[in-house]
Amino acid sequence: MHAYQREFIEFAIAAGALNFGSFILKSGRPSPYFFNAGRFDSGAKLLKLGQFYAAALEQSGLDYDLLFGPAYKGIPLACATAIALARGGKDVGYAFNRKEAKDHGEGGHLVGAPLQGRVVIVDDVITAGTSIREAMDTITQAGATPCAVLLAFDRQEIGRDGRAAVWEIQQRYAVPVLAIVTLAEVLAYLEESGRFRAELDAIYRHRAQFGA
């Protein structure tokens, strides 16, 4: 595990973005943990979050030209990542979509830099993968090339159909799905810390049932 990944897990727990307990996911599945990027809810937290996304992107060695944030959660994430990259000396454009096309001003449903070149989609997590598929279509229809998906957290779980949404994205679009951390890294951190024994046991049981 890289140092930035350990720091991110600590940051997510302290911010309340990574919670342990009893939760019902959007899919209806019960879970002993929940990741909510909406808890990175201040300027300082968002700035720090962008630095973790940028670190994961730089660690990947990926060649890319543009960041794309799917509406709505992906918008501040792509923006924060672009700012963090710029602070590190790499100025990259970003764009995002509107849920509804604007019929005045510049019009359309895209905002930001022109969609061109190799595009990284920045989002928080993948559940059903709907927003990612829509983003893929938007990017390709504009004549650009999706080259990766960058997430904050990969739950590494199968869906209701027995396949992982991340796996489906990788297979269908032939692009890597990167993450600041995966469940495996969270488990490694919890093992190291020794502070979450009960939570760790519950997550292991959950992974045995739903792990990809």
Side-chain angles (χ1 to χ4, degrees):
M1 189 188 316
H2 297 287
Y4 77 85
Q5 293 176 306
R6 186 175 290 103
E7 292 170 10
F8 173 73
I9 294 169
E10 293 170 351
F11 171 58
I13 292 172
L18 179 58
N19 280 293
F20 306 107
S22 180
F23 305 93
I24 300 297
L25 304 179
K26 185 177 180 180
S27 63
R29 174 181 295 172
S31 175
Y33 67 96
F34 185 68
F35 184 83
N36 178 13
R39 295 300 300 272
F40 300 119
D41 53 7
S42 73
K45 291 176 186 176
L46 194 57
L47 175 61
K48 195 168 183 178
L49 177 61
Q51 292 169 342
F52 287 117
Y53 272 106
L57 195 51
E58 293 300 285
Q59 180 65 37
S60 73
L62 189 72
D63 179 28
Y64 62 96
D65 304 299
L66 186 77
L67 306 178
F68 182 85
Y72 288 102
K73 276 190 177 179
I75 297 173
L77 302 180
C79 181
T81 305
I83 292 171
L85 288 169
R87 286 168 65 94
K90 183 165 184 167
D91 190 22
V92 179
Y94 75 95
F96 58 89
N97 64 307
R98 298 186 180 97
K99 288 288 188 180
E100 297 179 358
K102 187 177 178 182
D103 59 4
H104 60 281
E106 76 279 13
H109 68 284
L110 293 174
V111 181
L115 278 178
Q116 57 191 21
R118 293 171 55 80
V119 182
V120 177
I121 299 169
V122 185
D123 213 341
D124 56 349
V125 296
I126 289 181
T127 48
T130 304
S131 66
I132 299 298
R133 285 189 288 271
E134 290 174 352
M136 290 285 185
D137 291 342
T138 297
I139 292 166
T140 55
Q141 287 168 11
T145 304
C147 67
V149 177
L150 176 60
L151 307 174
F153 178 51
D154 179 0
R155 292 181 61 97
Q156 297 182 309
E157 287 185 18
I158 57 173
R160 289 183 175 180
D161 59 359
R163 295 183 294 181
V166 166
W167 181 88
E168 290 181 359
I169 294 296
Q170 292 178 138
Q171 294 298 307
R172 179 174 178 180
Y173 299 102
V175 300
V177 177
L178 314 171
I180 301 174
V181 294
T182 66
L183 178 62
E185 277 118 20
V186 170
L187 287 169
Y189 171 84
L190 296 180
E191 288 277 11
E192 289 177 7
S193 72
R195 293 187 293 135
F196 301 94
R197 189 71 252 173
E199 292 84 350
L200 185 60
D201 291 342
I203 296 173
Y204 274 128
R205 290 193 297 271
H206 182 81
R207 188 177 70 162
Q209 186 174 2
F210 300 114

